[in-house]
Amino acid sequence: MSIQEIVSILTSAGIEQREAVQEVKMLIEHFCNYGAKDIIMGKPLDYEKLKIVKNKAEHRAKTREPIQYIIGKAYFMGNYYKVTPDVLIPRDETEIVVDHALDIIKDNNLKNVLDIGTGSGCIACTIKLKTNTNVVGIDISKNALKIAKENTLSHHAQVDYIQSDLFSNLSKDTKFDLIISNPPYIPIGTELQREVQFEPKTALFTSEKTGCEFYKKIIEHGKDYLNDGGYIVFELGINESELVKTYFKSNGYTQITVIKDLAGIDRVISAQIQ
Ligand code: GLN
């Protein structure tokens, strides 16, 4: 049994060749305790270890469970985060959102940050690790917060996590300089790719057709929790920038900035309250 044969288990299930090679590498690194260097150098793998990798590849091919759930971790901005089906798998696009927030935080010397819908805690943790800020992460899901806390501990970051449906459990005396959120933004009824069906529905879907329910709520109520001149930074779903812009404008926010992702999709929006 060769590594090539294992790759072909994935490609025959419709996974693209380059992705399949990447995933087999991830399986080997994780289950055989192999470094990327060992793979490049062609360090031999014994049969037993290869068999584990083959079984995992077969499971992936059959079920299409995301590779990150199979190995239990996902890479995000320089660190690995524990992930289970209780939390969304961090996406590359989200790195653009966090980069933009980091720029705003550093340029304006901001101190207090709120991450709404923290999930695995990847955003909250990254901001804490890269800036001198106080970070609070909230999520409606207790199970997600358990994972977020584990991630924060393992990265020696210090984030305060609160179980809260949006702002419901936050005291109005608590004010922030920046609110960041990658909220659920997929309109209800949208057909999902097979892999995405493993992810928590509450992290993905909005209950209405525009996909903009959470942006609207956060923009409206966020004003009560932002210091004067405070910022909101969102990750956007496809075709959602125009509607979100109108919510910002009608609620008195200015300095609206939109950033595209590598596919040319409006992916990040930020604005400032006066
Ligand atoms: N904040 C997490 C992330 O960006 C989870 C987002 C979510 O569950 N919608 O990956």
Side-chain angles (χ1 to χ4, degrees), residues 11-56:
T11 51
S12 357
I15 295 163
E16 198 210 317
Q17 169 79 16
R18 232 182 48 164
E19 175 64 27
V21 170
Q22 188 56 34
E23 291 190 1
V24 173
K25 272 190 193 164
M26 288 161 86
L27 290 173
I28 293 174
E29 280 184 43
H30 185 75
F31 290 105
C32 309
N33 199 17
Y34 256 50
K37 214 163 108 200
D38 298 323
I39 297 172
I40 295 165
M41 302 293 281
K43 188 172 153 190
L45 277 163
D46 67 54
Y47 183 76
E48 284 310 310
K49 281 182 173 164
L50 221 48
K51 217 163 80 184
I52 300 173
V53 173
K54 182 173 175 244
N55 286 342
K56 298 292 175 186

Side-chain angles (χ1 to χ4, degrees), residues 7-171:
V7 171
S8 70
I9 296 172
L10 297 181
T11 51
S12 357
I15 295 163
E16 198 210 317
Q17 169 79 16
R18 232 182 48 164
E19 175 64 27
V21 170
Q22 188 56 34
E23 291 190 1
V24 173
K25 272 190 193 164
M26 288 161 86
L27 290 173
I28 293 174
E29 280 184 43
H30 185 75
F31 290 105
C32 309
N33 199 17
Y34 256 50
K37 214 163 108 200
D38 298 323
I39 297 172
I40 295 165
M41 302 293 281
K43 188 172 153 190
L45 277 163
D46 67 54
Y47 183 76
E48 284 310 310
K49 281 182 173 164
L50 221 48
K51 217 163 80 184
I52 300 173
V53 173
K54 182 173 175 244
N55 286 342
K56 298 292 175 186
E58 280 167 350
H59 169 79
R60 163 91 175 108
K62 197 165 115 209
T63 63
R64 298 299 288 260
E65 180 173 2
I67 197 77
Q68 292 88 345
Y69 287 151
I70 295 173
I71 65 172
K73 64 185 181 195
Y75 185 78
F76 186 74
M77 296 188 85
N79 286 304
Y80 278 97
Y81 289 86
K82 175 176 174 174
V83 291
T84 70
D86 279 321
V87 298
L88 201 78
I89 297 166
R91 305 290 204 272
D92 291 347
E93 289 81 356
T94 307
E95 300 201 356
I96 311 174
V97 185
V98 175
D99 267 331
H100 183 55
L102 289 173
D103 287 344
I104 297 176
I105 291 168
K106 288 175 184 164
D107 290 349
N108 300 284
N109 197 20
L110 304 183
K111 283 284 167 261
N112 295 298
V113 176
L114 173 68
D115 175 25
I116 300 182
T118 199
S120 64
C122 63
I123 294 178
C125 238
T126 304
I127 291 179
K128 182 66 201 181
L129 290 171
K130 291 184 188 280
T131 61
N132 182 20
T133 47
N134 307 310
V135 183
V136 176
I138 59 176
D139 205 290
I140 192 170
S141 159
K142 284 203 174 89
N143 290 343
L145 288 174
K146 260 168 63 183
I147 306 289
K149 283 176 191 165
E150 279 185 48
N151 279 322
T152 307
L153 259 177
S154 64
H155 293 310
H156 310 288
Q158 211 243 310
V159 173
D160 292 322
Y161 288 109
I162 300 170
Q163 195 269 329
S164 184
D165 180 3
L166 295 176
F167 301 98
S168 61
N169 288 339
L170 288 187
S171 139

